[in-house]
DNA sequence: TTTATTGTTCCATAATAATCGAACTTTAAC
DNA sequence: GTTAAAGTTCGATTATTATGGAACAATAAA
């Protein structure tokens, strides 16, 4: 900490900007829903009740599933996924027609560490 | 979890709304600054470099200090403090002229638990 | 090769949030 | 009592975000 407030250190500032992005991404109920959904799916890769394909690599068909679950247009869903991705909370790669999404546990760790 | 997505359980929903409020409160750089400032001050109650009065009860004069640090008007600062308070992240009580603010560690704990 | 599905991008609009100045209340200091 | 300081609230403005429709590209299925 180089000043009274601890607000002006360069690395701290960088970290803070990342954190703001992460918090902003989770500050919409819709996006938090999506995030929790992916988080759960990622953790239950062998869940027979989920009608999406869950592999070690991530979750397929998540866009369509997300649309079904939360009554938003395809394009809005796309925007939300993109924001979660920009914040570093998830990674999406395309396999065939559908996107394979995965929660980035490093980002989750970053928030946790901030709060300690 | 009572459905495939885990999104519709009542208590889960309530918790989620609280979390959204918390994340929203921390999703502005200004408010994150304020929060970190209070957090640091709360933890260094005997910090001689801080020109605020830090007691076991919290941090006094934080509004003025916040104004000095971050080039925002008094009324904007007031709004930001209020939002942190509404999200349950801090508590403010008035003693004399100034507000005594304190970080609510239960809220911090709630986020941490969400991420586990 | 046509058709359907998946997700993206562009564009416009509606909804929210951030910000400030000014008028105000309460407490403290003179 | 008068003046100063700390915060609040109101009202207006500006900036940002959320959203959906339409046109699009890429892949899969027929």
């Amino acid at each position: 900490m180089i000043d009274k407030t601890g607000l002006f250190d360069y690395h701290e500032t960088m970290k803070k900007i990342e954190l703001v992005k992460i918090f902003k991404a989770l500050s919409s109920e819709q996006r938090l829903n999506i995030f929790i959904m992916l988080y759960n799916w990622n953790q239950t890769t062998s869940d027979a009740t989920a009608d999406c394909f869950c592999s070690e690599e991530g979750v397929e068909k998540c866009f369509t599933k997300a649309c079904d679950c939360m009554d938003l247009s395809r394009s809005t869903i796309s925007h939300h996924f993109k924001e979660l991705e920009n914040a570093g909370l998830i990674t999406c790669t395309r396999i065939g027609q559908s996107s394979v999404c995965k929660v980035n546990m490093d980002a989750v760790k970053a928030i946790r560490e901030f709060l300690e």
Side-chain angles (χ1 to χ4, degrees), chain A:
Chain A
M1 210 187 295
I2 59 170
D3 68 316
K4 287 178 196 168
T5 61
L7 300 182
F8 305 118
D9 176 73
Y10 179 73
H11 291 98
E12 289 299 317
T13 304
M14 282 300 98
K15 247 196 281 175
K16 221 158 26 194
I17 288 169
E18 294 305 305
L19 276 170
V20 165
K21 267 170 75 179
I22 289 175
F23 287 136
K24 199 167 277 174
L26 296 176
S27 74
S28 122
E29 201 179 341
Q30 315 288 17
R31 278 194 301 271
L32 188 60
N33 277 339
I34 294 174
F35 181 74
I36 292 175
M37 192 173 74
L38 292 176
Y39 194 96
N40 287 341
W41 281 346
N42 274 188
Q43 302 217 309
T44 58
T45 44
S46 54
D47 181 1
T49 62
D51 68 346
C52 60
F53 173 67
C54 301
S55 65
E56 300 237 323
E57 286 75 38
V59 184
E60 267 187 58
K61 277 201 165 190
C62 36
F63 273 62
T64 301
K65 198 72 216 320
C67 288
D68 293 351
C69 289
M70 57 192 85
D71 193 37
L72 288 174
S73 77
R74 215 159 255 285
S75 92
T76 301
I77 295 279
S78 178
H79 287 305
H80 284 323
F81 269 80
K82 196 125 284 174
E83 251 190 88
L84 288 170
E85 207 178 359
N86 287 340
L89 282 165
I90 64 173
T91 53
C92 299
T93 47
R94 202 148 177 189
I95 293 187
Q97 277 174 302
S98 54
S99 225
V100 176
C101 303
K102 200 178 174 171
V103 169
N104 178 14
M105 292 311 284
D106 286 344
V108 174
K109 218 176 116 207
I111 317 175
R112 224 188 277 142
E113 277 169 8
F114 165 68
L115 299 167
E116 264 156 24

